[in-house]
Each structure stands twice: as structure tokens, then as C-alpha cells.
Amino acid sequence: MEVRRRRNFPITSVIVFSLLNQVVNAGINKYPCDFPAIFNFGDSNSDTGGLSAAFGQAGPPHGESFFHGPAGRYCDGRLVIDFIAESFGLPYISAFLDALGSNFTHGANFATAGSTIRPQNTTLAQSGFSPFSLNVQWYQFNDFHRRVRTFLTQKDDRVFKKLMPKLKDFSRSLYTFDIGQNDLTAGLFLNLTVDEVRASVPDIVDQFKTVIKDIYDQGGRSFWIHNTGPFGCLPYVLDRQLVSAGPTDEFGCVGSFNDLAQFFNHRLKLTVDQLREDLPKASITYVDIYSVKYELITRATRHGFEHPLMCCCGHGGKYNFNLHLGCGGKVKIKGKDVLVGKACEDPTVRINWDGVHYTQAANKWMFDQIVNGSFSDPPIPIRFACYKQY
Ligand SMILES: *[C@@H]1O[C@H](CO)[C@@H](O)[C@H](O)[C@H]1NC(C)=O
Ligand SMILES: *[C@@H]1O[C@H](CO)[C@@H](O)[C@H](O)[C@H]1NC(C)=O
Ligand SMILES: *[C@@H]1O[C@H](CO)[C@@H](O)[C@H](O)[C@H]1NC(C)=O
Ligand SMILES: *[C@@H]1O[C@H](CO)[C@@H](O)[C@H](O)[C@H]1NC(C)=O
């Protein structure tokens, strides 16, 4: 007995030591983050039901490719945020504004279609932009957090406790952002020049910074931030023939608008660098979704898609897009409501869904590009986005 124990001791300790070593290294780059929830902020690129809850449903044929009916998304199916949730084995995130059928155990989505970073001075009816700007989304998050705190400290066991995240989850969750495009188009649609809109970018990214800091102050640590896409290639911008639009490039996109998007992205990136200095415990990933979208649109055929500038669900014109008769719109023909914005035959080979938003197929393609970190700064896969590692 004595002898055996002595002989075994060094061997065991070697095993224990090497195991320990593995665990220590793993802390940095081996174990994926265990995000219990996702809190999302943004516009229609990631709206899973917010605007529909507040201002009326995005009707058929939205949702037809996956949900077999309207699902609060401006898309024929899933959005990038849905694929992100799936990748963590989490359910799709409920819209904060959805009063019925929501379950916030694994997060909440504050995004609404038409949201801007800066508060708008016009109503949705006047301009088409959502009143749920990023600061309002933050008020909602703040109240959500406060109410979770209140209810979880009460002793009774009411049903909504089964619909809320745990209090400790707030610091372990992934906070995702995709917002900014509407701040730029809002100015352009008012006939501001590209230079005038450019001049507002520092203020826009400043207000973005404030919200990230506020979430950090409430315990948020892991941030996943998408930059803004090449909106100069989208039918709803191209079709307007804005006075501020310059010539189109070889791909049919308005180059000056895409340059504006890139200027915003450049400032956003500088803001992220600043935030990393200001918020020492945060891990912040900046995701270049612009390059992914631009690659897809400008080399559509190579990636198995066609008609990159034409929308799938729309009506008429060069881009199959009509501002006044959008996807799901109806007209009366001989006293009957007829659905005008019929979807194209095969949305799986199309990039643009309704003139503004991407198809599920495009969203899936984009997700596949960004999930492994190829377009991220720092270049680490999303499942490691909780590690501060620059
Ligand atoms: C709304 O109006 C306020 C006060 O005039 C101004 O400071 C702000 O920049 C305006 N917001 C936008 C998005 O133009
Ligand atoms: C909400 O979702 C969680 C996790 O999926 C589940 O455990 C819980 O029972 C759900 N709540 C209700 C009321 O169904
Ligand atoms: C922008 O300019 C166009 C063309 O001059 C004009 O038709 C449109 O009404 C203007 N839009 C706004 C919001 O002033
Ligand atoms: C990331 O995924 C994309 C799409 O599947 C692939 O083309 C790319 O090579 C991958 N990059 C890395 C670094 O694994």
C-alpha cells in the first residue's frame, strides 16, 4: 500500500499539473463563452417584432420562408440576430415591446425598424423613422433591468419570474448592436448634402458611445457591434433619385453614399477604440458587416445569388421597388384587395428582400462570414466574444 501510493504520487501530480495548465490556458482561448442571454439594440436589420408590436404588423409575405407567416421581421425569414441566437443554442430573442408570448429568460430585443441613434424630431408618420431611437431603447433596457431586480427580490413565485433572466446574467450576456444607417439616410431624405450629413456623424457616434457606457455602468461587459452597410446599393435609396446622390458606380451603387457609410464606420471604429480605453473590463468586438454586404452585392453570382439590386418582394420600376406600394402592400382591383408586393419565385437566390432589407438567404450567408471572426476586430469567433484579448 505504502509503496504503491508513493509510486503513484508523482504520476498523479503530473496529470493534475497538466490539467491545471490546460484550464488556465483555456480561460483565455479554449472554452467558448457561455452567454445566458442576448440583449440587442438596433434598427430593422435586427428587429424581431418591436415595430410590428407598436405600429402594426409587417404583414405577409414577410416571414413566409421560415416562420410560414408574419413574425415581426422585415424579411422572408430569419435575421442575422436570429442566426446568432441559434449559434448559442438560445431561443430567438423576444421583442421587448411584444406584450404577449414573450419570454425574456434568454434576452430581450429593443431594436425597432426605422430606429436611429439620435432622437428624431419628426413622427413616424411624417418621416418613417421610429420614435424608439437608441436612447429610448436604453431607457427600456434600464427599466427592464430595474424591474427584474425588483421582482427577483420578492419572495412570491409569480409566473413572470419564469419569463425573466437571472440577475447575474446581465453581466454575462452578449450585448449586440446594429444601428446607424437610418441616421444617415434620415438626413439625405431631407435633402441635406452628403457633406452636411457627414458633419453630423461625430455627434451621432458620440450618442452611441454614451449608451454603451450606460450599459457598462449597469454591468454589461461583452459587446458585439456591427458597423453600417453600403446603403448606397439599396433599392429604397437608389429609387428616390435624391438630389444629393452622385453618379452610380460600376455596380450601380451610389458611391458617395457608400463613402458616407464608410466615414460613419471609420468614426464608429475610433469610438470603439476610445471605449476600450474608457471601459477597462469590457470586451468590445467591432464587426465589419459593411464589407460582407458589399462583397455579397458586388460579387453576387460568385456567391450563388442573382439580381443584387432588385428587390424580391416589391412592385415595378428598375428595382422592382415602389416607395408607395411596398412589400405586402395592397391595392383595390375591381373592389377586391390584391396583394401587390408578391415575393419573387426563389428568395433563396436573392439578396434584397423588400428594397430595404436582406433576404434570409443573404442573412445566413452574412452570418456565416462573420461568425468565425474573419470580419471582426479583434478577429476572434463570436463564441469567444466575452474574452478581452487585444
Ligand atoms: C432635433 O432638434 C434638436 C433641437 O433643435 C437638435 O439639437 C437635434 O440635432 C435634432 N435632431 C436631429 C436628428 O436632427
Ligand atoms: C421561458 O423560457 C425558459 C427557458 O427556455 C423556460 O425554462 C421557461 O419555462 C419559459 N417560461 C414560460 C412561462 O414558459
Ligand atoms: C427634395 O428634393 C426633391 C427634388 O428637388 C423634392 O421633390 C423633394 O420634395 C425634396 N424633399 C424634401 C423633404 O424637402
Ligand atoms: C470564416 O468562414 C468563412 C465562410 O465560411 C470562410 O470563407 C473563411 O475562410 C473563414 N475564416 C476563418 C479565419 O476561418
Side-chain angles (χ1 to χ4, degrees):
M1 278 290 274
E2 278 292 295
V3 173
R4 235 165 63 201
R5 197 182 279 165
R6 272 198 192 132
R7 253 208 345 232
N8 283 349
F9 183 70
I11 299 166
T12 321
S13 75
V14 164
I15 293 169
V16 167
F17 181 77
S18 79
L19 267 175
L20 249 174
N21 227 2
Q22 263 176 31
V23 171
V24 170
N25 289 335
I28 305 169
N29 52 24
K30 293 264 165 53
Y31 293 135
C33 312
D34 184 20
F35 296 121
I38 299 172
F39 294 102
N40 182 67
F41 302 78
D43 56 26
S44 55
N45 287 307
S46 60
D47 180 359
T48 56
L51 200 78
S52 283
F55 289 97
Q57 197 183 56
H62 290 292
E64 66 170 19
S65 301
F66 184 76
F67 301 101
H68 308 296
R73 291 152 176 83
Y74 291 85
C75 182
D76 60 316
R78 287 161 290 179
L79 309 177
V80 171
I81 189 70
D82 294 316
F83 291 114
I84 290 177
E86 275 184 18
S87 77
F88 290 114
L90 298 175
Y92 302 129
I93 329 170
S94 295
F96 170 77
L97 291 167
D98 253 336
L100 272 182
S102 291
N103 186 338
F104 300 112
T105 307
H106 296 294
N109 190 356
F110 301 92
T112 70
S115 286
T116 48
I117 292 171
R118 294 202 298 180
Q120 292 299 297
N121 293 322
T122 54
T123 67
L124 184 126
Q126 287 166 326
S127 63
F129 292 100
S130 165
F132 302 104
S133 44
L134 186 59
N135 61 322
V136 178
Q137 295 181 24
W138 147 250
Y139 298 142
Q140 294 175 330
F141 168 74
N142 189 28
D143 195 55
F144 179 85
H145 194 180
R146 188 182 62 78
R147 288 168 71 86
V148 169
R149 215 179 290 128
T150 307
F151 290 126
L152 285 180
T153 50
Q154 288 170 359
K155 284 218 161 56
D156 63 63
D157 191 28
R158 278 183 276 181
V159 67
F160 46 76
K161 281 196 180 175
K162 295 197 185 80
L163 299 168
M164 300 187 309
K166 297 189 182 71
L167 208 47
K168 68 176 192 316
D169 289 349
F170 282 87
S171 58
R172 299 173 52 225
S173 294
L174 184 64
Y175 290 82
T176 54
F177 298 81
D178 191 324
I179 194 162
Q181 175 175 319
N182 292 321
D183 289 87
L184 307 178
T185 57
L188 297 171
F189 293 169
L190 289 170
N191 286 339
L192 297 186
T193 65
V194 169
D195 282 342
E196 283 167 330
V197 177
R198 192 187 303 259
S200 67
V201 168
D203 182 43
I204 295 168
V205 295
D206 227 47
Q207 298 200 21
F208 180 82
K209 185 164 80 181
T210 303
V211 169
I212 302 286
K213 284 187 168 174
D214 285 342
I215 292 172
Y216 180 87
D217 288 343
Q218 293 223 354
R221 290 296 176 262
S222 303
F223 298 88
W224 177 265
I225 299 170
H226 290 180
N227 69 6
T228 205
F231 66 85
C233 300
L234 299 179
Y236 84 117
V237 170
L238 292 165
D239 189 64
R240 276 180 214 236
Q241 302 184 313
L242 291 163
V243 282
S244 49
T248 50
D249 62 19
E250 58 185 303
F251 304 109
C253 306
V254 177
S256 59
F257 289 172
N258 286 345
D259 289 347
L260 177 61
Q262 287 290 53
F263 178 73
F264 171 87
N265 291 340
H266 171 67
R267 297 303 292 242
L268 182 68
K269 179 69 176 55
L270 294 178
T271 301
V272 165
D273 292 340
Q274 184 62 50
L275 281 165
R276 285 173 184 155
E277 276 180 33
D278 296 349
L279 314 176
K281 290 182 195 147
S283 53
I284 310 177
T285 311
Y286 171 90
V287 185
D288 184 14
I289 200 93
Y290 178 100
S291 295
V292 177
K293 289 178 171 173
Y294 194 73
E295 166 71 21
L296 180 60
I297 291 169
T298 58
R299 291 200 246 185
T301 321
R302 172 184 298 200
H303 303 300
F305 291 86
E306 56 187 35
H307 308 305
L309 300 187
M310 290 264 288
C311 69
C312 166
C313 179
H315 179 67
K318 187 173 171 190
Y319 305 103
N320 190 35
F321 176 81
N322 182 335
L323 187 59
H324 306 290
L325 209 49
C327 180
K330 291 187 183 85
V331 284
K332 277 222 181 323
I333 297 177
K334 292 184 187 161
K336 270 192 183 160
D337 274 343
V338 175
L339 193 66
V340 173
K342 217 175 133 308
C344 58
E345 221 148 79
D346 188 3
T348 66
V349 294
R350 300 296 282 273
I351 295 170
N352 197 284
W353 167 242
D354 60 359
V356 188
H357 310 107
Y358 292 78
T359 59
Q360 168 175 268
N363 288 331
K364 175 68 166 66
W365 189 86
M366 293 192 270
F367 168 77
D368 288 342
Q369 302 304 305
I370 62 172
V371 67
N372 61 12
S374 307
F375 290 88
S376 297
D377 172 79
I380 52 170
I382 190 169
R383 63 185 193 283
F384 295 109
C386 61
Y387 297 111
K388 190 176 152 56
Q389 187 190 59
Y390 331 110

